[in-house]
Amino acid sequence: MTRTPARTPHDGDNALREQGLQIAMRFVSTLRTGRSYPVGNQVFTRQLQQLLDALLPVFAEHGEALVVSLDGDLHLNGSRLPLRSSSLRFLEQLVQEFHVREIAGVEFRAGLSLTEIEGFMRYFLPSELYKGGELHRVCAAQNIQHALPIESADSEAMNEGGAESAPEVGGAAHAYARALQNAQLLLG
């Protein structure tokens, strides 16, 4: 009788890393398309659907997808995404996109719909308009609950003095803290 090798936790981590690469590449492709086509255009909507399709397996297993830039590397739910020549430019561009918006990353949650991710992208795309806490506030004001920016530690420190922004920032800060904790566990 042949035994099937037991699945190790490392196997799940590798699967998550591969899913993370797909999400990062889809996200960057969506951003590129969004610079050429307006939100609502069928070409842009098709890119959004492909991004959502890449997120669904992660939602099924983890309930959320935290895409975070930490020390120049991208992580999905605490797992560092592998650097490969075929995906390096996508990963670098996504890190840069987060940097320009003064955020640490993005949190996608199970229940995300095509309409909601389209609404999120309406505010995420114009990087010169919405940065850090402002991006989070505009998403909250538009009732976007399943796609949120994760503020960087620097922007969180700037918001500590403003009590009125604390409830809106709390969820993103918590998500960032979880992603950071997961990344630190991986690093040893």
Side-chain angles (χ1 to χ4, degrees):
M1 175 184 277
T2 307
R3 284 175 57 139
T4 308
R7 187 174 171 178
T8 66
H10 186 67
D11 294 337
D13 195 44
N14 283 337
L16 186 62
R17 291 170 195 247
E18 292 304 318
Q19 291 166 331
L21 282 177
Q22 290 303 310
I23 290 168
M25 291 170 62
R26 285 281 152 220
F27 198 15
V28 170
S29 296
T30 301
L31 293 173
R32 289 177 182 170
T33 302
R35 290 187 180 102
S36 300
Y37 296 93
V39 173
N41 180 284
Q42 70 181 19
V43 174
F44 184 70
T45 301
R46 188 173 27 242
Q47 286 291 328
L48 285 175
Q49 184 61 57
Q50 291 173 350
L51 173 58
L52 189 56
D53 291 345
L55 289 163
L56 291 176
V58 178
F59 291 161
E61 190 168 333
H62 302 278
E64 64 187 358
L66 301 172
V67 182
V68 177
S69 173
L70 179 64
D71 294 329
D73 291 325
L74 280 177
H75 300 260
L76 174 64
N77 293 353
S79 292
R80 184 178 164 274
L81 302 186
L83 301 176
R84 297 191 183 128
S85 58
S86 61
S87 60
L88 185 60
R89 65 186 174 100
F90 288 96
L91 299 179
E92 288 174 342
Q93 183 174 350
L94 191 51
V95 167
Q96 183 61 28
E97 294 286 350
F98 292 160
H99 179 73
V100 165
R101 288 167 181 81
E102 300 173 7
I103 60 174
V106 178
E107 175 182 10
F108 298 108
R109 297 179 187 160
L112 181 63
S113 68
L114 187 59
T115 303
E116 190 172 20
I117 198 169
E118 185 176 87
F120 173 76
M121 293 304 286
R122 188 176 310 278
Y123 301 103
F124 190 88
L125 278 168
S127 60
E128 67 283 355
L129 294 178
Y130 304 104
K131 296 179 187 271
E134 182 60 29
L135 180 57
H136 194 279
R137 283 187 287 282
V138 74
C139 289
Q142 296 301 315
N143 201 28
I144 298 170
Q145 301 172 3
H146 298 93
L148 297 168
I150 300 172
E151 291 188 60
S152 67
D154 294 339
S155 60
E156 285 178 37
M158 287 188 289
N159 284 326
E160 282 179 8
E164 64 201 44
S165 66
E168 294 146 355
V169 175
H174 178 69
Y176 178 73
R178 280 185 300 164
L180 183 60
Q181 180 182 23
N182 287 339
Q184 288 171 336
L185 287 172
L186 287 171
L187 296 173

